[in-house]
Amino acid sequence: MSETDRRVLRLTGNDTHDFLQNLVTNDLGRLDQGPVYAALLTPQGKYQADFLLVPQGDALLLDVAADLAPALLQKLTLYKLRADVQIEDTDLKVYRGTGEAPEGAVPDPRHPALGWRLYGTEAGDDGSDFVAIRVAHCIPETGIELTPDTFILEAGFERLHGVDFRKGCFVGQEVTARMKHKTELRKGLRRVAVEGSAPPGTALASEDGKAAGTLYTQAGGEGIAYLRFDRATGVLSAGDARVTALPDAPE
């Protein structure tokens, strides 16, 4: 699925800020500085959807992968009860790039390398190699590295400015905070060197044949993999490909 295959919802109403603040992983107080990256989790702390929240006058745009939009809209409608919040679909499309930003574009809050996003009548991008950018900076994508089994801290959401632990409660906050403060992550997404190729979703095995994770997006001899860190210290196999963990992604 293309990352520009998006739906843009518009939220309005006097309770919009407080409504979302109690649900999503990030602090909406950051909206006065620009777009905010956030997620909606299950009560058990697992991923349901990630999205960008973009201020637009008195409204708030919610930029989400198109195939997640129906379920997310249903969830938000369920949660809002009698709150003064109106949620409507729009025909806005997402155009993105890394060169000089056109008038009206906003920065992608996840990482400077992701450039800008423009909401209007055209979908697509300026030709930048966004797959290579994602791999170089270990940036997960909806539906590939981000799945219903994902815990967001294992997916790097803190590094990508997608979670705030000082804002107070959000759905799934207890599990997420416990992972942050009481445990050391034993699994997670990492950049890897890839010799050969393998389809996204190929299982990784350690040199002694033990399950070591999964290989996902690849570009330019590198990839994003979900690793069991205790088994990812040597050369791993992904089908016919050979995979080696790399240092943490550059900031």
Side-chain angles (χ1 to χ4, degrees):
M1 181 187 67
S2 168
E3 214 277 339
T4 50
D5 185 13
R6 311 286 289 184
R7 273 176 64 183
V8 181
L9 307 179
R10 181 180 286 112
L11 286 77
T12 55
N14 293 328
D15 297 336
T16 297
H17 185 285
D18 291 342
F19 165 66
L20 288 176
Q21 182 75 345
N22 292 325
L23 289 180
V24 305
T25 58
N26 215 337
D27 182 4
L28 270 66
R30 299 180 179 183
L31 286 168
D32 60 2
Q33 303 170 37
V36 166
Y37 181 51
L40 180 66
L41 309 181
T42 68
Q44 294 75 35
K46 289 194 173 183
Y47 168 94
Q48 292 197 84
D50 64 313
F51 38 81
L52 282 79
L53 298 169
V54 184
Q56 187 191 58
D58 294 333
L60 194 60
L61 301 181
L62 190 154
D63 168 2
V64 64
D67 61 348
L68 295 187
L72 178 61
L73 181 58
Q74 184 179 38
K75 284 284 186 183
L76 294 176
T77 302
L78 178 68
Y79 277 126
K80 79 182 187 71
L81 299 175
R82 297 183 181 179
D84 179 14
V85 179
Q86 293 77 50
I87 308 171
E88 61 175 336
D89 208 347
T90 77
D91 58 2
L92 290 171
K93 296 179 172 58
V94 181
Y95 191 88
R96 59 183 181 154
T98 60
E100 184 176 351
E103 183 177 356
V106 297
D108 191 310
R110 291 172 290 178
H111 195 286
L114 289 172
W116 46 263
R117 300 170 83 87
L118 181 66
Y119 298 93
T121 60
E122 184 179 358
D125 61 50
D126 67 350
S128 298
D129 189 344
F130 281 98
V131 174
I133 291 170
R134 287 203 310 105
V135 169
H137 299 281
C138 200
I139 299 169
E141 184 168 314
T142 307
I144 302 178
E145 292 86 14
L146 296 174
T147 74
D149 291 324
T150 298
F151 289 105
I152 61 168
L153 294 190
E154 294 181 345
F157 263 63
E158 193 169 9
R159 176 176 56 84
L160 298 172
H161 317 294
V163 60
D164 190 302
F165 292 102
R166 297 166 297 184
K167 58 162 282 189
C169 292
F170 55 84
V171 176
Q173 182 262 345
E174 183 177 350
V175 174
T176 307
R178 188 162 62 245
M179 291 182 71
K180 164 71 173 173
H181 298 296
K182 294 186 178 180
T183 62
E184 181 178 350
L185 292 181
R186 298 179 179 179
K187 304 174 184 177
L189 295 180
R190 290 290 186 273
R191 287 191 314 139
V192 292
V194 182
E195 182 182 335
S197 64
T202 299
L204 290 165
S206 63
E207 292 175 314
D208 58 1
K210 293 182 179 179
T214 308
L215 179 62
Y216 291 108
T217 306
Q218 299 151 63
E222 294 187 0
I224 299 175
Y226 179 75
L227 299 178
R228 286 189 53 163
F229 301 141
D230 62 336
R231 296 181 180 175
T233 55
V235 177
L236 309 175
S237 60
D240 294 330
R242 293 165 61 84
V243 175
T244 309
L246 292 171
D248 289 343
E251 296 295 329

